[in-house]
Amino acid sequence: MPKIKPSKGAPYARILGVGGYRPTRVVPNEVILETIDSSDEWIRSRSGIQTRHWANDEETVAAMSVEASGKAVADAGIEAAQIGAVIVSTVSHFKQTPAVATEIADKLGTDKAAAFDISAGCAGFGYGLTLAKGMIVEGSAEYVLVIGVERLSDLTDLEDRATAFLFGDGAGAVVVGPSDVPAIGPTVWGSEGDKSETIKQTVPWTDFRNGTVERFPAITQEGQAVFRWAVFEMAKVAKEALDAAGITAEELDVFIPHQANERIIDSMVKTLKLPESVTVARDVRTTGNTSAASIPLAMERLLATGEAKSGDTALVIGFGAGLVYAATVVTLP
């Protein structure tokens, strides 16, 4: 039997650059209240959300991704042609094939980079980051672009009082590259398919195509069940990620959870007993829940505002439809 040569990858991987794009249209709660019986105070108290961004016709999944990715590539100090793979996490690209990642790779000017989409909901960024780390250490790519992007306004039922106020649009991207020291910890990830009905698309696309239903499919969820799961189960996963990385809550600088709901974030902070010195991302207030895009968008804002700085140790955790989750500890670019 012929012997296969071992891969020649980097010893470790790290996030080298981050970029984000938020659509130009800012939508306050007052707009949401035109179609649901609620109040600004109720929305803020239940979710922390004050505004969100909704994309226009030109701000497609691909267009937003290219904007965010260009910033991430520049921030990393590399050229697009050096990118060996493009991973896009999204649930709101409405072409089944080809993968939107191929269009993004071409428009960025990569040199025939490998490109594919993944569907892991709000945990998609963590899944993509884990795959990128593996590629770099294995040696199949020197630099990997990981994008989380959503146009959830296309999948929002504006008459659903439970979800109409939650979702926003946007794209976040990071460049992952080689490192001489550990900078992306072990990923704690998994799925609980027995709870898949708690966050889901209302009906299959085929039901709409066949005329079985008249209303376009949307995202729906069982709010209380999701809240309990996120607060109690995901806090355990976050603690496992800290343990896997070999650090304690006291050694953490930044906490960047999926920006689902500020009440969930507050409860996780309390359950994890994070010190007051830890900076907590609260991008949900003005960006809403952008699913796969929420963690890189929150990361970008923290660095841009100076609330977090390069070299900080951050715990990131995404969780959502599936139900799926992914948590890891990273060094910020």
Side-chain angles (χ1 to χ4, degrees), residues 5-13 132-143 177-180:
K5 293 181 179 180
S7 299
K8 296 181 179 179
Y12 306 104
K133 173 186 173 183
M135 290 178 185
I136 290 158
V137 173
E138 185 272 338
S140 59
E142 185 176 11
Y143 300 100
S179 174
D180 293 329

Side-chain angles (χ1 to χ4, degrees), residues 48-125:
I49 298 172
Q50 304 166 21
T51 61
R52 73 284 293 148
H53 295 255
W54 283 354
N56 60 33
D57 291 343
E58 287 73 38
E59 292 167 321
T60 64
V61 165
M64 292 190 294
S65 296
V66 170
E67 288 291 331
S69 299
K71 296 175 184 177
V73 170
D75 192 42
I78 67 168
E79 300 295 326
Q82 294 175 266
I83 296 170
V86 177
I87 304 171
V88 177
S89 177
T90 185
V91 299
S92 48
H93 175 59
F94 291 156
K95 288 184 179 179
Q96 191 70 40
T97 192
V100 72
T102 58
E103 178 182 350
I104 295 165
D106 177 63
K107 288 184 175 179
L108 280 174
T110 68
D111 184 15
K112 300 179 181 179
F116 58 95
D117 300 349
I118 59 174
S119 177
C122 306
F125 175 75

Side-chain angles (χ1 to χ4, degrees), residues 26 94 147 157 162 221 258 313 321:
V26 177
F94 291 156
I147 304 165
D157 181 353
Q221 68 175 27
H258 165 48
T313 301

Side-chain angles (χ1 to χ4, degrees), residues 140-189:
S140 59
E142 185 176 11
Y143 300 100
V144 180
L145 179 65
V146 180
I147 304 165
V149 57
E150 302 291 3
R151 272 184 54 126
L152 294 181
S153 57
D154 291 332
L155 286 169
T156 300
D157 181 353
L158 293 177
E159 296 179 3
D160 180 1
R161 189 172 184 270
T163 61
F165 60 90
L166 285 176
F167 301 120
D169 303 337
V174 298
V175 171
V176 183
S179 174
D180 293 329
V181 297
I184 300 175
T187 299
V188 178
W189 58 351

